[in-house]
Amino acid sequence: PPAPPPDNASRGEPPEPPEQPATPGVDGWGLASGGGGARDAWFRTSLAPSEMITAQSALLEREAQESSTTDEELAGRRAANGSSERGGAASTPDYGEKKLPQALIIGVKKGGTRALLEAIRVHPDVRAVGVEPHFFDRNYEKGLEWYRNVMPKTLDGQITMEKTPSYFVTNEAPKRIHSMAKDIKLIVVVRNPVTRAISDYTQTLSKKPEIPTFEVLAFKNRTLGLIDASWSAIRIGIYALHLENWLQYFPLSQILFVSGERLIVDPAGEMAKVQDFLGLKRVVTDKHFYFNKTKGFPCLKKPEDSSAPRCLGKSKGRTHPRIDPDVIHRLRKFYKPFNMMFYQMTGQDFQWEKEESDK
């Protein structure tokens, strides 16, 4: 018989309580359980029952608690101590008042959220926390005053922002954010879930070189080709699953979906959409970017002064390990129905399938 999948300890993750089966028809995602309605029937034609996903809040919580880069872990501790970094133009004086954010970058991990934050902070009417506060997932019990204190001071007409990518996969985050400000603007940077998963694994591998290969972690059963959707690197990319939770609290008009791919090939075009969505003048334009061939993505330059261009740190743009093409093929097949549903839910076609067929 095939070897059992590795336990969490061999992945370098903490042990988990045993998973409970989904209650039939609770959320329409517990497909193997039946009773989930038309969506279940639609999905059942695309995926084997053993690949079906159950929307378990415990798993979502585990993902939310997973760290980003080592630098960002340190930054999180600084945020927890009430420190904050100044955002926006360097000329903005340090006075004004601290306000709760009017816009959040809520996801996704390894999608391009840091690049987006750094670009939008160039705008003089944006002030953003440089670190990830993790308020709505890890620090909620500290209260809104703690959260407000983490924010930079703003002047009238300036927008306060923060980014914490784990919010998108945190079950409680939409309700908590809605209770703070039901008219808040939400930004989600999404990327082809296959390359996102590999990027996620690459980041973990850089910190824990002893972890098993991507192939071992990605499958419940390699012989049968069953994808392990409980592994957070895979699960985060099931965007339709997470978005359903947000749409219970926020209309689509309050959520902007930014393409992580287009953020690389046309940063000014994507930033125009972001500025329009936030009700800002289009100040951040193509003159703020140049393409760094070594990194393989755009870097920011400040045309108004002679300071050195700002590129993202060494934790970004890592070279991905080579993954077996059969594994890539199976992952694409696994994600395809979820991508189709995501396109339908958002009214946007991110063309991840076309991108893959071009390769």
Side-chain angles (χ1 to χ4, degrees):
D7 60 17
N8 284 342
S10 66
R11 295 175 172 179
E13 296 179 6
E16 278 185 55
E19 207 173 315
Q20 298 300 313
T23 307
V26 163
D27 52 22
W29 293 91
L31 302 173
S33 65
R39 275 198 312 196
D40 280 12
W42 184 81
F43 265 121
R44 209 172 283 115
T45 62
S46 308
L47 298 175
S50 51
E51 285 183 1
M52 299 311 176
I53 313 307
T54 54
Q56 299 277 350
S57 61
L59 284 166
L60 292 172
E61 284 168 20
R62 190 188 89 203
E63 288 164 17
Q65 287 162 12
E66 286 207 348
S67 301
S68 300
T69 61
T70 310
D71 295 343
E72 286 164 353
E73 285 171 12
L74 178 64
R77 284 198 288 275
R78 288 168 52 206
N81 290 330
S83 67
S84 61
E85 289 185 16
R86 194 186 306 182
S91 58
T92 304
D94 193 20
Y95 56 82
E97 61 177 302
K98 295 187 176 190
K99 296 173 187 166
L100 292 168
Q102 295 95 53
L104 299 174
I105 300 171
I106 58 172
V108 299
K109 183 183 177 188
K110 308 311 296 177
T113 58
R114 173 57 60 182
L116 176 62
L117 182 75
E118 291 304 317
I120 199 63
R121 289 173 87 194
V122 171
H123 200 293
D125 291 335
V126 171
R127 302 270 280 162
V129 190
V131 300
E132 295 179 2
H134 283 279
F135 177 65
F136 295 103
D137 56 351
R138 299 181 199 166
N139 293 307
Y140 195 63
E141 75 289 345
K142 290 186 167 77
L144 284 174
E145 280 310 305
W146 175 89
Y147 188 44
R148 188 197 307 271
N149 198 47
V150 169
M151 297 299 140
K153 291 178 180 176
T154 52
L155 305 173
D156 285 347
Q158 289 183 317
I159 293 174
T160 304
M161 289 184 69
E162 69 113 323
K163 78 113 177 166
T164 304
S166 51
Y167 290 163
F168 189 62
V169 298
T170 299
N171 217 21
E172 302 84 4
K175 183 177 182 180
R176 290 171 172 177
I177 292 169
H178 187 266
S179 71
M180 176 188 78
K182 62 180 184 294
D183 57 349
I184 198 163
K185 293 183 177 182
L186 306 169
I187 300 173
V188 189
V189 188
V190 290
R191 177 186 185 186
N192 185 321
V194 177
T195 49
R196 197 222 68 82
I198 297 167
S199 180
D200 200 330
Y201 171 79
T202 304
Q203 176 176 292
T204 306
L205 184 67
S206 72
K207 294 189 284 183
K208 299 176 181 174
E210 73 283 359
I211 62 169
T213 64
F214 182 88
E215 288 84 346
V216 167
L217 295 173
F219 288 98
K220 276 183 177 169
N221 185 316
R222 180 68 194 272
T223 311
L224 298 176
L226 301 181
I227 300 293
D228 186 356
S230 69
W231 181 32
S232 66
I234 301 290
R235 192 177 183 83
I236 289 171
I238 308 172
Y239 303 138
L241 169 69
H242 308 300
L243 179 58
E244 184 174 62
N245 194 23
W246 290 87
L247 292 179
Q248 291 177 42
Y249 293 91
F250 297 98
L252 266 180
S253 58
Q254 278 175 242
I255 310 174
L256 177 70
F257 299 93
V258 173
S259 165
E261 286 83 13
R262 288 199 292 271
L263 201 54
I264 293 171
V265 298
D266 180 22
E270 286 302 288
M271 291 310 299
K273 295 176 193 172
V274 172
Q275 291 168 97
D276 290 352
F277 175 70
L278 295 174
L280 298 168
K281 279 179 62 179
R282 290 188 181 182
V283 171
V284 184
T285 61
D286 52 5
K287 70 184 180 194
H288 288 85
F289 300 96
Y290 79 98
F291 191 80
N292 182 303
K293 289 177 182 172
T294 308
K295 278 277 186 186
F297 52 71
C299 294
L300 280 167
K301 57 183 179 182
K302 291 196 172 176
E304 71 276 6
D305 61 35
S306 58
S307 64
R310 289 210 323 261
C311 273
L312 298 179
K314 65 179 183 297
S315 68
K316 309 298 178 185
R318 296 185 184 98
T319 303
H320 289 178
R322 185 190 174 279
I323 308 295
D324 182 337
D326 178 61
V327 173
I328 302 286
H329 174 73
R330 288 181 183 275
L331 269 180
R332 287 175 181 166
K333 192 175 173 184
F334 169 80
Y335 278 122
K336 186 173 181 178
F338 295 111
N339 290 347
M340 294 296 116
M341 180 168 275
F342 182 64
Y343 298 167
Q344 203 168 23
M345 292 167 82
T346 60
Q348 286 178 248
D349 182 352
F350 290 91
Q351 301 191 328
W352 293 318
E353 289 68 32
K354 180 180 184 299
E355 170 194 323
E356 288 160 352
S357 65
D358 290 345
K359 289 178 181 174

